[in-house]
Amino acid sequence: MSCRVTNRIGLCLAGILLAAASAALGGNVIYVDADAPCGNGGLCWPDAYKYLQDALAEANAAQKPVEIRVAGGVYRPDESAAEPNGTGDRTATFQLISGVTIVGGYAGSGEADPNTRDLVAYETILSGDLDGNDVELAGWDWESIDDFIRSGSRQENSYTVVMGSGTDGTAVLDGFTITGGHASGPILGECPDVDYRYRAGGGMYNDSGSPAVVRCTFRWNVAESFYGWTHGGTGCCCTGDYPGVSFLPGTCGGGVCNRDSSPTLDECNFEENIAYGADDFSAGGGMFNINSNPRLINCVFT
């Protein structure tokens, strides 16, 4: 399909009309499809953005509320129109935005009805596997887990795939599989102002954030540490008497880590996420909470 301007105008006429109608109701719709034939406008399915990061950048600057509709496919946080092959930046993440709803599971531009939504048939994956080469977890014996964690294929993965820090309940993530996060990075800051975003919550990390996460699956995300993990000479927990400051134990939240946060998770599945460390403080393979009050509705931890 040609992507000349004249063709895009015809292809996206319906999308423009829908966008205008949505704007009249006080909202904007942005389309994302990794297989879109044009991939540089976001106004409709044929001209959808190919990369979720580009849609997030537009949504961040747009008048709220905004809805981002994402077709089935794999989306990585280090990829954008400017960097279609990725940057390899392990700190790259999908940052949620208050007033922005991100909805996955759409059929997209290659189907007869691109607005068909089916989370199984059109699985929409947010992947921290930046090189696309992760091995699968072979089993739950110690050797299989150790091989999985230490595999060279995971050492380039994103520290945290999705970040909900600083958001409120109007930041919504609906209908995604979040996988491949590997929180094994540095601790930022100094005690008592410590930032754990690269060391906790491989799938999702929330610090002072309360997003809504709906019908999402967190699978094969990891938080990892080993002996000798210290920070500022005071240990991983930043031990000491700091009233009112919440600290994390060694390795926390393979799937999700919440710090000073109250997210809502509705119909979410947590499958084979791991908190891995050679100490007594590794906790929360599926989810770890500190000074947090998450609301979980019909969620399953496997």
Side-chain angles (χ1 to χ4, degrees):
M1 181 179 293
S2 173
C3 288
R4 292 176 297 174
V5 173
T6 52
N7 284 346
R8 285 211 306 274
I9 291 173
L11 287 169
C12 290
L13 179 58
I16 292 170
L17 293 174
L18 287 172
S22 177
L25 294 172
N28 300 302
V29 178
I30 302 171
Y31 296 86
V32 180
D33 186 346
D35 297 321
C38 301
N40 60 1
L43 275 177
C44 63
W45 286 118
D47 199 33
Y49 286 117
K50 289 180 177 291
Y51 305 98
L52 178 55
Q53 289 290 24
D54 296 321
L56 287 170
E58 180 179 330
N60 194 42
Q63 181 179 353
K64 310 301 186 292
V66 174
E67 180 177 307
I68 300 175
R69 298 179 183 177
V70 189
V74 180
Y75 301 88
R76 297 182 174 89
D78 70 329
E79 295 177 343
S80 65
E83 296 288 349
N85 297 317
T87 62
D89 181 6
R90 297 190 69 191
T91 68
T93 187
F94 291 115
Q95 173 66 54
L96 304 185
I97 305 166
S98 295
V100 177
T101 297
I102 311 170
V103 186
Y106 283 98
S109 59
E111 301 294 331
D113 181 0
N115 289 303
T116 298
R117 190 165 183 240
D118 186 320
L119 302 188
V120 176
Y122 307 111
E123 185 180 17
T124 311
I125 301 171
L126 305 183
S127 176
D129 180 13
L130 303 185
D131 284 351
N133 64 347
D134 278 6
V135 299
E136 295 186 359
L137 179 61
W140 282 104
D141 58 282
W142 175 253
E143 290 77 11
S144 295
I145 293 173
D146 192 60
D147 288 345
F148 175 74
I149 299 295
R150 295 173 181 263
S151 168
S153 69
R154 296 190 60 89
Q155 302 313 307
E156 90 296 338
N157 287 27
S158 292
Y159 296 134
T160 297
V161 181
V162 178
M163 193 88 66
S165 301
T167 63
D168 58 28
T170 65
V172 181
L173 187 70
D174 182 348
F176 290 86
T177 296
I178 297 98
T179 188
H182 198 112
S184 60
I187 305 172
L188 306 178
E190 295 293 336
C191 297
D193 299 316
V194 182
D195 187 339
Y196 297 92
R197 71 179 68 185
Y198 303 146
R199 264 293 184 180
M204 184 178 196
Y205 182 68
N206 299 310
D207 191 341
S208 301
S210 300
V213 184
V214 183
R215 289 172 294 218
C216 286
T217 296
F218 294 85
R219 180 186 300 127
W220 292 347
N221 299 288
V222 172
E224 174 192 5
S225 74
F226 296 98
Y227 284 122
W229 177 32
T230 60
H231 177 77
T234 58
C236 64
C237 305
C238 200
T239 55
D241 184 16
Y242 298 100
V245 179
S246 59
F247 298 111
L248 303 181
T251 308
C252 310
V256 174
C257 182
N258 298 308
R259 183 189 187 196
D260 302 315
S261 298
S262 299
T264 297
L265 295 100
D266 192 350
E267 296 186 35
C268 292
N269 294 317
F270 294 79
E271 302 174 357
E272 299 184 350
N273 301 283
I274 301 171
Y276 180 95
D279 52 55
D280 293 332
F281 298 101
S282 300
M287 176 183 290
F288 186 88
N289 302 290
I290 184 166
N291 197 32
S292 295
N293 187 31
R295 184 184 185 205
L296 279 68
I297 306 166
N298 296 328
C299 293
V300 177
F301 290 80
T302 305

